[in-house]
Amino acid sequence: MKKLIVRILKSNAFGRCLYKPLHALYRLYSVPHRRRLLKRYGPEVLSDLAKIFKRHQIPAFAAYGTMLGFVRDHGFIPHDDDMDIGIMPNTMTPQQLLRILLEKEKGFKILFIFRFRKQVVEFKVEYKHVPVDFFFFEGDENEVRCPLFFFKEEVNYPSPNANSMKILHLPPFKGITTVPVYGCDFPVLEDTENALAALYGEGWRIPDKKWNDDKRPHIDDISEFGYSISLEEAFQLEPQSNT
């Protein structure tokens, strides 16, 4: 129902004007609720994910706010309401991971899937009441990139499934290590301090309650759109190889 309402609002200028205030009202209830669920079920979900990653040799790591919380706060950030997981560049396709989670494991429910330039680059699942966002980075020896999706009230979108885009630029990832959190060893990037400085600036150790993506040091607006798609469409976009 939520997805249908969002598509309707984004389909016309009047709806786009209503989107932000209605979304703010929705978040007044949904965000505190999700925070409570994360606090209650998050440690169990983390333990399960760590086992799943190890069992299937998934090159995953805590990303964005989840990594920040694990390194800076030794747990979830108090105002966080979901988990962010990254996949190392040029290793596993989103379709491969979707098959593992949906066919070889139990309890995962698809919430949304995003594509950009004919590639799936992000999807979100729900597991044991906790939303888990998976980001698929791309890059080389010079930099790592990740598309980010957002809404602009003033944009006349070509379809209700379209979203505005930013591209995040990060230093190359050196590898994956683990940190102890909530009784399990969870994977994070090896060079966490440099990664967090690139994501949140040199002051990442100081909590910022007014933080938003516009404050990221290395992020560019682009004119292209990204799109939310179905699971069936995601598999139709599956690349022939990982190279």
Side-chain angles (χ1 to χ4, degrees):
M1 179 61 72
K2 178 189 172 185
K3 290 182 180 178
L4 176 61
I5 292 172
V6 170
R7 285 198 294 268
I8 292 172
L9 289 173
K10 291 173 65 177
S11 65
N12 59 82
F14 180 70
R16 289 193 294 273
C17 290
L18 292 177
Y19 179 87
K20 283 191 175 180
L22 289 177
H23 185 61
L25 286 174
Y26 169 75
R27 286 178 60 82
L28 286 176
Y29 161 77
S30 67
V31 171
H33 177 64
R34 291 201 302 266
R35 286 174 183 166
R36 289 192 294 270
L37 292 175
L38 181 63
K39 183 177 181 180
R40 179 176 178 180
Y41 298 106
E44 180 183 353
V45 171
L46 278 180
S47 178
D48 286 356
L49 287 177
K51 293 174 184 175
I52 290 170
F53 296 160
K54 186 175 182 179
R55 181 158 56 241
H56 299 285
Q57 297 183 318
I58 298 170
F61 57 91
Y64 297 114
T66 302
M67 176 170 60
L68 176 64
F70 289 179
V71 174
R72 187 188 67 192
D73 306 314
H74 309 292
F76 296 118
I77 296 173
H79 58 266
D80 221 349
D81 59 359
D82 66 1
M83 293 185 193
D84 297 324
I85 303 295
I87 301 296
M88 290 292 283
N90 311 317
T91 56
M92 172 175 282
T93 69
Q95 292 86 351
Q96 288 171 329
L97 182 53
L98 282 167
R99 285 194 176 94
I100 290 172
L101 299 182
L102 299 178
E103 298 174 10
K104 297 183 179 181
E105 298 292 337
K106 296 181 180 179
F108 289 92
K109 173 187 175 183
I110 292 291
L111 297 181
F112 64 71
I113 302 172
F114 279 132
R115 74 163 174 86
F116 178 61
R117 296 175 180 169
K118 298 183 179 180
Q119 292 185 351
V120 177
V121 295
E122 177 187 347
F123 66 75
K124 176 172 280 191
V125 297
E126 184 178 271
Y127 179 71
K128 293 187 177 179
H129 309 288
V130 174
V132 184
D133 216 341
F134 286 89
F135 298 89
F136 292 79
F137 295 85
E138 64 173 23
D140 49 38
E141 67 276 7
N142 297 314
E143 71 167 10
V144 170
R145 298 169 296 278
C146 186
L148 298 177
F149 297 76
F150 68 104
F151 171 80
K152 279 186 176 182
E153 180 181 317
E154 66 274 15
V155 173
N156 184 16
Y157 289 101
S159 88
N161 293 327
N163 297 270
S164 297
M165 300 296 306
K166 298 175 184 284
I167 299 291
L168 179 64
H169 303 270
L170 298 170
F173 297 159
K174 294 184 177 181
I176 295 176
T177 184
T178 61
V179 295
V181 58
Y182 297 115
C184 77
D185 293 324
F186 201 83
V188 296
L189 291 173
E190 282 185 0
D191 195 2
T192 52
E193 294 203 0
N194 280 343
L196 289 169
L199 283 167
Y200 299 103
E202 295 298 332
W204 62 269
R205 294 175 181 83
I206 302 173
D208 181 358
K209 293 183 178 180
K210 296 183 179 180
W211 171 262
N212 61 65
D213 280 341
D214 292 332
K215 293 184 178 181
R216 294 198 187 278
H218 310 287
I219 193 165
D220 298 325
D221 283 301
I222 61 173
S223 58
E224 298 171 74
F225 294 110
Y227 295 84
S228 58
I229 60 174
S230 67
L231 182 62
E232 181 181 6
E233 290 172 307
F235 284 121
Q236 291 172 354
L237 293 172
E238 186 166 16
Q240 295 302 309
S241 69
N242 293 340
T243 59

